[in-house]
């Protein structure tokens, strides 16, 4: 999916960027949520992908709960301020229990998209 939005980056490069960050420590922030993220020199702008899994996955989160909401973030390498600002904004949105409840209740990609844009 990310490769479709960033066709100039390979799927493997995107996976490597996300995996490299996870090796530093889990991005599972608790309450069934993880924000895997990575910097990429080929990325021209930040890209966030949201996945809500029907079955929660063990992700070594800080509260040891399995994760079912993933927000994968790819940001341009070297843009640390934007990276931190984007992470803070995402974490703030995911702190809203009602928003997370709506994400989990979405039954299709279009419903998930509607939940997200209604919060913007």
């Amino acid at each position: 999916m990310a490769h479709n939005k960033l066709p100039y980056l390979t799927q493997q490069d995107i996976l490597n960027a996300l995996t490299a960050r996870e090796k530093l420590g889990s991005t599972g922030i608790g309450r069934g949520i993880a924000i895997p993220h990575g910097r990429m020199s080929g990325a021209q702008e930040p890209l966030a992908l949201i996945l809500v899994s029907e079955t929660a996955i063990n992700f070594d989160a800080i509260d040891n709960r399995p994760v079912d909401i993933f927000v994968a973030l790819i940001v341009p390498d070297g843009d640390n301020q934007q990276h931190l600002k984007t992470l803070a904004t995402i974490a703030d949105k995911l702190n809203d229990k009602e928003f997370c409840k709506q994400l989990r209740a979405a039954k299709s990609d279009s419903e998930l998209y509607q939940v997200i844009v209604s919060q913007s």
Side-chain angles (χ1 to χ4, degrees):
M1 218 185 298
H3 177 66
N4 294 340
K5 296 292 183 184
L6 304 170
Y8 45 87
L9 299 173
T10 69
Q11 290 179 350
Q12 190 61 50
D13 287 342
I14 293 168
L15 180 61
N16 289 347
L18 296 173
T19 304
R21 171 55 188 87
E22 286 303 315
K23 287 180 181 176
L24 298 175
S26 176
T27 56
I29 63 171
R31 298 181 340 275
I33 302 166
I35 309 174
H37 53 282
R39 294 183 176 119
M40 298 192 69
S41 59
Q44 298 167 356
E45 61 187 356
L47 174 70
L49 300 157
I50 298 178
L51 171 78
V52 179
S53 177
E54 288 182 15
T55 305
I57 299 166
N58 217 355
F59 207 74
D60 198 24
I62 60 173
D63 63 356
N64 294 316
R65 288 181 48 193
V67 172
D68 64 342
I69 297 176
F70 296 86
V71 180
L73 179 64
I74 300 295
V75 296
D77 196 20
D79 194 353
N80 295 339
Q81 286 302 103
Q82 181 63 40
H83 184 141
L84 294 174
K85 182 179 178 185
T86 303
L87 277 174
T89 300
I90 291 170
D92 185 54
K93 290 283 185 195
L94 293 171
N95 200 33
D96 180 339
K97 290 179 184 178
E98 184 58 33
F99 177 63
C100 291
K101 183 178 176 181
Q102 290 174 11
L103 290 175
R104 288 181 171 111
K107 300 294 182 207
S108 67
D109 290 346
S110 61
E111 283 183 27
L112 187 60
Y113 178 77
Q114 289 304 315
V115 169
I116 295 164
V117 297
S118 71
Q119 292 290 315
S120 300

